[in-house]
Amino acid sequence: MSVDATPALDAGPDPEQQTALRRSGRYLATHPHWVLVFVLIVLILITGMIEPNYLSVSGLRNSALFAAPIGILAAGQTILMLTAGIDLSIAMIATGAAYFAANQSPNGPVLAIVGALVVGIVAGALNGVGVGVFQVNPLIMTLAMSGILLGLFTEWAQTIFAGSTRMNDFIRTLGGGSFFGGRIPWAVVVWATLSLLVVYLLRRSGFGRNLYALGDNTVASRLSGVRSWQVLLAAYTIAGVFGAIAGILLGGRVGAVDLQLAGVFLLPSVAAAVIGGTSIFGGVGTYTGTILGALILAVLNSMLNFLGVGTAVQQMLYGSIIIGLSWLYTRIAATQ
Amino acid sequence: MSAPNGSLLSVQGIAKRYGPVVALRSADLTVQPGEIHALLGANGAGKSTLVKILSGVFPADAGSVAVNGRTALLRKPGDSMAAGIATVFQDPALIPDLTFSQNLRISGLARDDVMPWLERMDLAHIDFDLLVGDVPLAFLRLLDLARALAHRPQLLMLDEITAALTTDQAEHVFDVMREWKEQGRSVLFISHRLGEVLAMCDHATILRNGSHVADFALAGVDESQLVTAMLGEELVEELAESAEDAAVETGTLTKAFDTPVVLEARDLRLRDKVNGISLELHKGEILGLAALEGQGQDQLFQVLSGDHRPSSGELLVNGKRLNARSPYDAIRNGVVFVPADRQQALLPQRSVRENLTTPLYNRVRKWFTLAGDEADRVDRAVARLDIDVRAGSQAQRLSGGNQQKVTVGRWLASGFDILLCFDPTRGIDIQTKAQIYDLLRELAAAGSAVILYTSELREIPLVCDRVLVIYNGRIVHEQDAATATEEILLTSAHGLEEAGA
C-alpha cells in the first residue's frame, strides 16, 4: 500500500497565508507591548464614545491620576514577580504608611513622608528576611504579613495612630493636585520619576540582572555566585518602599485615611503586571509592560464608572483578567 | 512520493522552526521492521527535534509521518503511543518528586509490567519507593527504558541513552535492543558514540543542519565515513589538524609540574560519599578525574565549588584556606564550576548575553550599573567559543552544544583561575567536543588550572596532564594521563587495582 505524502501534520487552508499569520502571531508574542498600546487606544476611544467628555484633558488626567498608585504598587509586584515572588501585603503596607503620614501630618510634610517610608522599609525588609533568608514561600510570607499588619494597624488606630487622620496639605497636593493649569497631576510626576528608576534598574543595572536570573533559574544563579537572600531582601524592601509611596499618594488624594484605603488596589497591582506580560513564574517581564497594564486598568475603571458599574463588579473583572491572561500567556509560552 | 513497501515508519519532509531558528528543514527517515536504525548528526542537526515530533511532544510545521503504511497524526504523546512508538528521552521523563512506583502508575503501568525488564538490566533490587529525584541519572535512564519497554512498542526510540551509562549498563541496553530486533520490532538509536552505532545498528540516517543528507547500510562502513557525512568534508579536515596539535602538546606535558599548587584538598570528607580525598592541582595543569557513576565525584565537585560544605577536611586555594559558605566564596577566589547538567547552569529564558555575564553582578557593589566592558566580554567569549547566537534572545532555543558552550563561556566572560568541569562533553557532538577540549588546553597553557571529570575515558590522554581515579569516594589510582589507557582506568575505576597491588 502506498501512502500519499500530503502535509498531514499541518492541515492549514493555505500554507502561505498561514505562515504570514503565524509570523505576525509570533512577532506579537515576542513584542506584546504593541498589543497593549493598541488595546489601550481602543479602550480610550470606546470610553470616549460612551462619554464624549472623557476625551478631554480632565478626563484623561483623571485616568492618569488613578493609574499612578496602581503603577507604583505594580512596580513592586513586577520586581518581585521577576524573582517568582509576589507581595500580597503591599496594599496593607500602603495603608499603614498613609496612616503614619496622616498621624505625623501636623508635624510637617518631611517627617510625615519620611515616617511613612520607614513603615514601608521595615515591613518590606521583614518580608525579604522571611522569603530570602528563611525561605518562606512568598505567598505565605506576605499573606501572613498582611494579616499581621492589619491587626497592628487596627490596634494602633485607637492608640498610637490616635490623633490626626487628616493629611498634610503638601501631601494632599502631591496625591491629588495638578500643575500646568491643572493638566498634569503631581502624582503622575512622582510615578514617572519612579518609572524611570525602575526601568533603569531592570534594564541597566546588575541588580536587575540578578532579579531575572534568580527568577529564571535559582540553581544557575547560585552557581554563578548570586546570593539570593541579598537580592530578595533588597527586592522586598524596594517593594515595601513603593507600597509606602503609593500609600502617601492615595492618602493625599483622598485627604484622610482609614483601614480600607489601599485594599482595593491589591488585585489591580498584580493585574497590571500580569497584563503587561510579566510571568508569575519569574524570569520574564518588563516594567514598560506593567505601565501599559496600569494605564489600561485605569481607563477600564473610567469606562466602568461611566457605565455605572460598581467597585464590586470591577474587582470581579480584575480577578477575571488575571486568570484569563495567566492562561493566555501560559499558552503562548507553550507554543513558542 | 510513496513510502517504501512494508516500512514500519516513514517520515517525509518534516520541518520545524522555533521562532527565527530552523531546527528541521526537511527530515526524511525510513525504519524497517526488525532493524536497529541509527539517527546521526552533529549537535543542532535536529535529531532531538525529530524524536520529539515523532513522540508527539510538539507538532511539525510541515511534512508527513506514516506508521505501517498509514498516515499518522502525532499531535500529542498519546497519539504516538497508540501508533506503537515509545521513547526514552535525553532527559528522563519521570517526575522527580514522585517515587518510581507512583511514576509508573501515572503511565498506567504496574510493577509487574516493568519487573522483567529491570531484572534483565540487573536492577531488580531497585527500591520502587525511592523518590525519582534521589536516583542517579544513569539509573533513571534505565528505569525510563524499562517503562518504555513495558508498553511493548513497535518502535523504541532511544535518544542518547548511553551517554550517562557505564560500560556494563550500556551492555544491558544493547542486549535489550538485540532482543527487540529479534522479535521483529525496531529501534531508533541516537548516540554520539560511533563505535556503538557501528556495532549495533543496521542502517543509519544522517541529518545535517536540519536536513536529511544520507542513508547508510552500516555493514562495511567505518567511523570516518559517518563523521564526514555528519560534518561535511571541510570541517573534518579542520578537526583532524587541531587533533594533531593537541596530541603534540600533550606529548610535551607529561613531566611532573613544578608550577605552584593553586588548589589543594586535604582529606576532604562528605557524609559517606567522599571518604578522604587529598589532591593538588598545579597552575597550568589539567587534572583528569575518572570514576564510574556514583563514586562520590558529584559530591567532590560540590565541595570544591563551594556548593556544599565538607563534613571534614580542608580546601586551600593559592595556599589560603577556603571555607566557602556558597559558590560565591569559591568564585571570589577564582574557583568556578561548570556542571554536567546544562539545566543547572542556564537561564533558559534569558539571552546569551545575560547568561554569560551573570557572575559579573554577584557582588552588591556591582548592582548599580552594568559593567562598562560587558559587550566586549560577551563578544570575546562568543568569538572564542564560536557560539551560534542567532537564537541568542533565549538560551533555551540554542542547540545542546551551544548551550554547553554558554555554560563554559560564562567563566571566560567573567574570569577565573581554576575551572572545575564536570563531564562537559556528555551528549554533545564531536565538533563541539573538540572545541571545548582545545579551549581547555589553551586555558591551561595560559596559566589557568583545570579539573576535568569525564565519563569518556578514551579522551583523558588527549586532554589531561595527569589523571586520578576515584572509587568509593577515595582516590585509588594516579598516573600520567598520556599513558592512561581505557583498560587501566576502567580496571582501577572498578576498584580492582587495590586488591591486585
Side-chain angles (χ1 to χ4, degrees):
Chain A
M1 181 186 144
S2 83
V3 175
D4 190 11
T6 49
L9 285 172
D10 201 358
D14 173 10
E16 194 97 336
Q17 187 194 357
Q18 205 187 21
T19 51
L21 244 170
R22 278 197 174 197
R23 209 171 299 142
S24 50
R26 214 175 280 134
Y27 179 82
L28 289 180
T30 47
H31 302 81
H33 294 175
W34 294 113
V35 184
L36 296 176
V37 170
F38 177 75
V39 170
L40 180 62
I41 292 171
V42 169
L43 278 176
I44 291 175
L45 292 178
I46 294 176
T47 312
M49 285 193 296
I50 297 168
E51 174 56 63
N53 283 337
Y54 178 72
L55 294 180
S56 65
V57 170
S58 74
L60 294 175
R61 186 198 58 203
N62 285 343
S63 281
L65 193 56
F66 186 79
I70 295 180
I72 293 170
L73 292 172
Q77 302 290 16
T78 305
I79 288 173
L80 296 180
M81 280 163 67
L82 290 178
T83 70
I86 197 166
D87 187 353
L88 298 179
S89 65
I90 199 166
M92 201 50 73
I93 292 176
T95 304
Y99 247 99
F100 202 94
N103 185 256
Q104 293 299 314
S105 275
N107 301 329
V110 175
L111 201 60
I113 290 175
V114 170
L117 292 179
V118 169
V119 171
I121 290 173
V122 171
L126 285 174
N127 279 331
V129 169
V131 176
V133 179
F134 295 103
Q135 302 186 5
V136 181
N137 177 294
L139 284 169
I140 302 297
M141 181 67 215
T142 58
L143 186 61
M145 177 59 70
S146 183
I148 291 169
L149 291 179
L150 176 63
L152 271 181
F153 298 150
T154 310
E155 191 70 18
W156 289 353
Q158 313 301 325
T159 55
I160 297 176
F161 288 161
S164 169
T165 56
R166 197 181 162 282
M167 281 292 185
N168 181 291
D169 283 342
F170 177 82
I171 296 179
R172 291 170 70 126
T173 310
L174 198 64
S178 302
F179 65 103
F180 202 56
R183 290 191 186 86
I184 302 174
W186 286 107
V188 172
V189 175
V190 174
W191 181 28
T193 314
L194 290 177
S195 296
L196 287 177
L197 182 73
V198 174
V199 170
Y200 171 84
L201 266 188
L202 296 189
R203 298 183 51 153
R204 295 254 166 268
S205 81
F207 178 66
R209 292 292 175 80
N210 284 332
L211 291 173
Y212 285 105
L214 206 54
D216 201 15
N217 189 342
T218 322
V219 177
S221 308
R222 180 176 156 81
L223 292 181
S224 294
V226 176
R227 283 160 296 175
S228 58
W229 70 269
Q230 294 178 338
V231 180
L232 292 173
L233 179 58
Y236 280 86
T237 308
I238 291 173
V241 170
F242 283 171
I245 295 173
I248 294 168
L249 295 180
L250 270 173
R253 193 170 83 200
V254 176
V257 291
D258 65 75
L259 282 173
Q260 273 75 47
L261 180 72
V264 291
F265 289 94
L266 177 61
L267 208 46
S269 75
V270 177
V274 171
I275 291 172
T278 301
S279 162
I280 51 170
F281 302 112
V284 177
T286 61
Y287 186 57
T288 349
T290 304
I291 293 173
L292 290 165
L295 291 172
I296 286 173
L297 287 176
V299 176
L300 206 57
N301 173 269
S302 298
M303 183 167 90
L304 296 172
N305 283 340
F306 290 134
L307 290 171
V309 175
T311 325
V313 177
Q314 288 182 20
Q315 288 285 322
M316 288 164 61
L317 193 71
Y318 298 147
S320 311
I321 288 175
I322 293 180
I323 295 170
L325 284 178
S326 298
W327 171 79
L328 186 70
Y329 283 126
T330 316
R331 286 290 308 234
I332 290 174
T335 54
Q336 263 181 4
Chain B
M1 292 296 278
S2 66
N5 270 355
S7 63
L8 170 64
L9 175 78
S10 167
V11 172
Q12 297 196 333
I14 292 281
K16 177 77 189 175
R17 13 183 337 146
Y18 303 106
V21 182
V22 180
L24 281 176
R25 256 170 248 283
S26 171
D28 301 332
L29 169 68
T30 306
V31 180
Q32 303 297 338
E35 73 159 339
I36 301 179
H37 195 107
L39 182 60
L40 302 177
N43 264 22
K47 303 179 302 279
S48 293
T49 306
L50 182 56
V51 166
K52 284 185 178 146
I53 288 170
L54 292 175
S55 312
V57 174
F58 42 62
D61 296 339
S64 72
V65 176
V67 178
N68 284 323
R70 283 217 308 274
T71 301
L73 294 179
L74 306 175
R75 290 217 178 82
K76 52 182 190 298
D79 295 342
S80 155
M81 201 77 91
I85 300 174
T87 313
V88 179
F89 294 101
Q90 226 170 332
D91 306 309
L94 296 164
I95 300 168
D97 293 333
L98 296 182
T99 64
F100 184 50
S101 56
Q102 286 167 334
N103 266 288
L104 283 179
R105 224 170 297 146
I106 290 176
S107 14
L109 292 170
R111 245 176 126 108
D112 292 344
D113 298 324
V114 293
M115 213 50 207
W117 300 110
L118 292 180
E119 280 166 11
R120 287 280 306 274
M121 297 187 282
D122 274 352
L123 282 175
H125 61 280
I126 195 108
D127 181 359
F128 277 62
D129 296 324
L130 223 51
L131 284 184
V132 161
D134 297 337
V135 178
L137 186 63
F139 285 145
L140 286 187
R141 290 269 166 84
L142 297 178
L143 294 177
D144 212 7
L145 173 61
R147 188 177 67 159
L149 289 168
H151 289 289
R152 307 207 65 81
Q154 280 299 318
L155 175 63
L156 177 66
M157 298 198 290
L158 306 177
D159 191 355
E160 288 290 350
I161 190 168
T162 54
L165 300 188
T166 58
T167 319
D168 47 332
Q169 288 168 330
E171 208 46 57
H172 289 310
V173 175
F174 298 148
D175 279 345
V176 169
M177 287 165 63
R178 284 187 205 104
E179 174 174 341
W180 222 239
K181 176 180 166 178
E182 277 158 26
Q183 292 184 5
R185 298 161 191 266
S186 309
V187 179
L188 186 68
F189 184 67
I190 297 180
S191 171
H192 284 299
R193 299 181 180 169
L194 297 179
E196 298 174 351
V197 168
L198 288 171
M200 292 301 303
C201 301
D202 306 301
H203 288 92
T205 294
I206 294 177
L207 298 178
R208 194 195 308 156
N209 295 330
S211 297
H212 170 266
V213 289
D215 277 314
F216 282 95
L218 288 178
V221 171
D222 66 21
E223 287 194 23
S224 65
Q225 284 169 279
L226 294 179
V227 171
T228 310
M230 280 160 59
L231 299 182
E233 301 277 356
E234 320 83 60
L235 249 177
V236 174
E237 282 163 26
E238 225 173 86
L239 285 176
E241 280 166 28
S242 75
E244 269 169 38
D245 295 348
V248 173
E249 270 176 57
T250 40
T252 61
L253 284 166
T254 48
K255 297 135 213 135
F257 274 76
D258 47 11
T259 51
V261 174
V262 288
L263 180 81
E264 183 182 354
R266 288 187 191 154
D267 197 30
L268 285 182
R269 289 168 192 276
L270 179 61
R271 295 191 306 271
D272 59 340
K273 296 296 183 185
V274 179
N275 300 313
I277 284 188
S278 302
L279 56 83
E280 288 185 349
L281 175 69
H282 294 261
K283 188 173 156 73
E285 183 185 31
I286 300 186
L287 176 62
L289 292 184
L292 301 177
E293 194 83 13
Q295 299 303 316
Q297 64 270 39
D298 307 69
Q299 289 77 10
L300 175 64
F301 270 76
Q302 281 184 335
V303 170
L304 294 178
S305 65
D307 198 19
H308 211 300
R309 283 178 179 229
S311 318
S312 70
E314 56 182 18
L315 196 59
L316 290 94
V317 177
N318 294 318
K320 246 175 47 200
R321 182 153 181 201
L322 172 64
N323 192 5
R325 272 166 302 176
S326 78
Y328 171 80
D329 296 316
I331 294 166
R332 291 298 308 145
N333 285 283
V335 183
V336 305
F337 175 46
V338 176
D341 183 357
R342 296 190 282 273
Q343 307 319 317
Q344 286 192 351
L346 277 191
L347 308 174
Q349 301 177 101
R350 306 311 303 172
S351 66
V352 167
R353 179 176 181 149
E354 289 185 46
N355 268 280
L356 290 176
T357 53
T358 312
L360 293 180
Y361 309 108
N362 60 17
R363 266 193 296 178
V364 175
R365 39 182 278 233
K366 302 283 182 189
W367 278 8
F368 302 95
T369 55
L370 291 182
D373 56 352
E374 193 192 76
D376 290 342
R377 287 168 180 264
V378 170
D379 290 344
R380 263 182 280 137
V382 165
R384 182 138 187 211
L385 276 164
D386 190 20
I387 301 174
D388 180 354
V389 291
R390 275 175 303 170
S393 65
Q394 287 199 328
Q396 62 187 354
R397 297 192 185 174
L398 301 178
S399 71
N402 270 310
Q403 289 182 349
Q404 190 66 50
K405 288 180 186 175
V406 169
T407 65
V408 180
R410 165 175 297 158
W411 301 118
L412 290 187
S414 48
F416 67 92
D417 298 322
I418 299 162
L419 181 64
L420 309 170
C421 277
F422 196 93
D423 222 358
T425 55
R426 175 187 290 177
I428 63 177
D429 62 296
I430 39 184
Q431 186 195 347
T432 310
K433 228 181 246 178
Q435 284 174 326
I436 289 182
Y437 288 150
D438 282 353
L439 176 78
L440 294 184
R441 289 255 47 113
E442 282 170 34
L443 290 172
S448 302
V450 179
I451 297 185
L452 170 71
Y453 167 77
T454 176
S455 54
E456 319 227 13
L457 301 181
R458 239 188 299 175
E459 289 162 18
I460 282 181
L462 284 177
V463 198
C464 303
D465 300 309
R466 185 159 59 101
V467 58
L468 303 175
V469 180
I470 298 176
Y471 175 71
N472 196 19
R474 288 190 191 86
I475 292 171
V476 293
H477 183 82
E478 173 175 5
Q479 73 166 108
D480 260 359
T483 50
T485 61
E486 208 170 350
E487 290 71 35
I488 299 177
L489 294 176
L490 264 181
T491 316
S492 44
H494 278 94
L496 298 176
E497 200 187 39
E498 271 184 325

